[in-house]
Amino acid sequence: MKNARAFVLALVLLAGASAATAQTGSNRAELVRVRYMVNDVPAAVAFYKEKLGFRVDFQSGTYFAALSRGGVQLLLSPTKGPGGAS
């Protein structure tokens, strides 16, 4: 169920980024950043990379990752610990 929600979130973000670029009429792609709190950063990175085609821009162990696809950048942080929402 969590994977299904993550998939739907990613699709909505990608569609929103495409629509925002189309509405501005600009050739420059707008970047939409979303910080997403996850229980397991490496597992989330694997999911977004392998299943949804995101590219890993940066990863700091289990504490933070930045992934991108199209005009969307996901900033993944753990719910607890360094870099998280503690």
Side-chain angles (χ1 to χ4, degrees):
M1 184 57 109
K2 286 184 181 181
N3 286 345
R5 280 189 257 164
F7 180 72
V8 170
L9 172 66
L11 289 177
V12 168
L13 293 172
L14 289 171
S18 297
T21 301
Q23 287 178 354
T24 62
S26 171
N27 291 334
R28 191 189 85 183
E30 299 294 326
L31 180 64
V32 175
R33 286 190 177 115
V34 177
R35 184 172 182 196
Y36 193 41
M37 307 308 293
V38 297
N39 290 324
D40 185 342
V41 172
V45 167
F47 173 78
Y48 281 104
K49 182 179 172 189
E50 296 166 13
K51 302 290 185 186
L52 299 178
F54 277 77
R55 180 185 76 224
V56 178
D57 298 328
F58 176 78
Q59 187 169 0
S60 178
T62 60
Y63 302 119
F64 177 79
L67 296 91
S68 62
R69 181 174 176 208
V72 176
Q73 185 177 48
L74 294 178
L75 306 174
L76 303 176
S77 299
T79 56
K80 297 180 181 177
S86 56

